[in-house]
Amino acid sequence: MPNLHVLSAGAAQSLIESLQRQFEAGESITMRASFHPVGATMEKLLAGEPCDVVVLTAALLDELARGGDVQADSIAPLGRVHTAIAVRDGDAAPDVSTAA
């Protein structure tokens, strides 16, 4: 059974693990996935860690394509990661109108 090595940023972990279960349930492929922060994932790829598929931000994938480290025509969006902030209930909201 062939192996598929996946390096992925942590934000996509639940998606990759779901796909892993589907691949392996069909016994068509064994997926070896590792999850790291975005920067560490890119470093592992550039250091030569086994990798058939890498999941990173679009900006980093574009950078890797410009450097010839990934195939530009293989880049495809998987979804969006929305980031938000909140204040604990009962706490005063801080002034976030400026960077300071």
Side-chain angles (χ1 to χ4, degrees):
M1 182 178 328
N3 287 323
L4 178 68
H5 294 93
V6 179
L7 288 176
S8 177
Q13 185 168 352
S14 62
L15 170 65
I16 300 301
E17 288 175 342
S18 173
L19 291 172
Q20 183 175 11
R21 287 189 296 275
Q22 292 177 40
F23 276 113
E24 292 180 351
E27 298 180 19
S28 59
I29 198 161
T30 299
M31 185 183 292
R32 303 286 181 238
S34 62
F35 305 96
H36 311 279
V38 172
T41 300
M42 185 171 169
E43 289 173 10
K44 288 181 178 294
L45 175 76
L46 294 174
E49 186 161 320
C51 179
D52 299 304
V53 175
V54 62
V55 181
L56 286 170
T57 64
L60 286 179
L61 289 173
D62 288 342
E63 181 181 329
L64 289 167
R66 285 191 301 276
D69 299 296
V70 299
Q71 297 176 18
D73 63 351
S74 71
I75 297 172
L78 289 177
R80 294 181 192 244
V81 177
H82 296 280
T83 304
I85 61 172
V87 176
R88 186 183 346 231
D89 191 31
D91 286 356
D95 179 9
V96 293
S97 60
T98 67

